[in-house]
Amino acid sequence: MTALLDSRTYAPSSPDTATRLRVVDPGPLTTLQDAGRAGLAHLGIGGCGPADRAAAALANRLVGNPEGAPLLENVMGGLTVATSSPRYVSVTGAPAEVRVDGSIVAEPQRLYLHAGQRLSIARPPWGVRVYVAIAGGLAGRQVFGSCSTDSLSGLGPPALRTGDELQVGAVVSDPPSARLELTGTALPTGVIDLGFRWGPRDSLFSTADMRTLTSTTWSVGADSNRVGVRLTGPALSIGVVNLPSEGMPLGAIQVPPSGQPIVFLADHPVTGGYPVIGVVTEPDLDLLAQAPPGARVSFSAMAGG
């Protein structure tokens, strides 16, 4: 059944009632994401938003949208969409083959999609998340000021299904005439080195465990998701720890009883009772959000951290 997602409060412009983006095939998982729900942790509400914030912001800039405008976050390709009116669209994030009506697009970062044409994204050869933005921005039902889908709490619209239609805003600015600088957007295919700062509970760990964290090449587990990336390697020993629940920031490296670190991503819980040995910097979290199962990860402590 076709479902039109409700548009109430997101308004980069007045909604263009004649334009819809139709989901022909959502692939394994496609959600709507915007800038998220910042500043609500005291209410138990997580930040959410794109897992790879840099890629999402670039996608919106490429079509003239505000950086936080709602767009699609697709996991592992398989997505096919069509628009009812001609629009610029952009594709960023994991480098995937893009086709329009079956023909390969040589430079898919920004393209002009005619009414009824189908944009299809293949499975990326490396990387996890692909972002699709459309000029004018998408519209969705807002919960606590955001239409982002939060996989942990269930807030926001559900994951997209075949036949869903999303309302598109009216275009208020043309895409940048100058080619945007795309250097630095390539994803590493070797070991992903994550900068982090120690704390707040690093004092609970031995010197040997701290050395293990930074000297080990960790592997990304298959059970990683938007909540967090689970790493496998030599177990850290935290012993018996009785901590009251405390705030969990984006990028927290939490060590549960298994001793296998978890790095929290966009849909992370706002509190937790296991110790956090360090916090990964936000730019490096974008890289981690693109790490597929089996990818290798290392940690580098930042000066002064």
Side-chain angles (χ1 to χ4, degrees):
M1 182 190 323
T2 297
L4 178 62
L5 298 184
D6 181 27
S7 166
R8 277 187 271 192
T9 49
Y10 172 71
S13 61
S14 299
D16 181 348
T17 57
T19 303
R20 301 285 188 272
L21 186 73
R22 181 167 60 90
V23 179
V24 179
D25 187 339
L29 177 65
T30 299
T31 59
L32 191 63
Q33 299 293 336
D34 59 14
R37 302 180 177 88
L40 298 176
H42 64 294
L43 299 177
I45 298 171
C48 199
D52 182 345
R53 293 176 181 266
L58 175 61
N60 274 318
R61 291 200 306 273
L62 284 167
V63 293
N65 292 342
E67 290 190 355
L71 78 173
L72 301 182
E73 180 182 275
N74 163 259
V75 176
M76 303 304 289
L79 172 67
T80 298
V81 296
T83 177
S84 62
S85 299
R87 287 294 172 96
Y88 277 103
V89 297
S90 61
V91 181
T92 64
E97 182 182 87
V98 176
R99 293 176 180 260
V100 173
D101 287 346
S103 298
I104 296 176
V105 178
E107 296 186 5
Q109 288 85 7
R110 182 172 67 201
L111 55 97
Y112 193 73
L113 202 63
H114 294 280
Q117 286 188 310
R118 292 190 174 191
L119 173 74
S120 299
I121 298 171
R123 182 187 178 100
W126 201 96
V128 176
R129 294 176 170 89
V130 179
Y131 293 88
V132 179
I134 182 168
L138 296 169
R141 177 179 55 85
Q142 286 205 346
V143 179
F144 291 104
S146 169
C147 60
S148 284
T149 300
D150 187 329
S151 63
L152 181 64
S153 69
L155 292 177
L160 297 177
R161 299 173 297 176
T162 297
D164 280 352
E165 292 186 353
L166 293 88
Q167 192 167 341
V168 180
V171 177
V172 294
S173 63
D174 293 329
S177 56
R179 183 177 178 85
L180 289 182
E181 182 58 62
L182 298 178
T183 58
T185 60
L187 300 178
T189 55
V191 177
I192 301 173
D193 189 49
L194 304 175
F196 78 101
R197 298 188 185 279
W198 294 109
R201 298 298 182 184
D202 56 302
S203 61
L204 296 176
F205 296 84
S206 68
T207 301
D209 279 328
M210 295 170 70
R211 186 181 305 114
T212 296
L213 180 72
T214 57
S215 64
T216 298
T217 299
W218 303 86
S219 295
V220 173
D223 52 352
S224 300
N225 51 36
R226 279 180 50 89
V227 176
V229 173
R230 295 178 179 271
L231 303 176
T232 59
L236 304 182
S237 302
I238 61 173
V240 178
V241 175
N242 294 308
L243 286 178
S245 290
E246 55 189 2
M248 288 289 134
L250 180 68
I253 309 169
Q254 188 186 66
V255 183
S258 67
Q260 304 292 299
I262 302 170
V263 182
F264 283 144
L265 295 184
D267 291 353
H268 69 88
V270 297
T271 61
Y274 299 132
V276 172
I277 193 172
V279 179
V280 175
T281 64
E282 288 199 29
D284 286 350
L285 281 179
D286 291 335
L287 296 178
L288 184 60
Q290 293 290 2
R296 297 173 298 160
V297 173
S298 62
F299 291 99
S300 293
M302 301 184 68

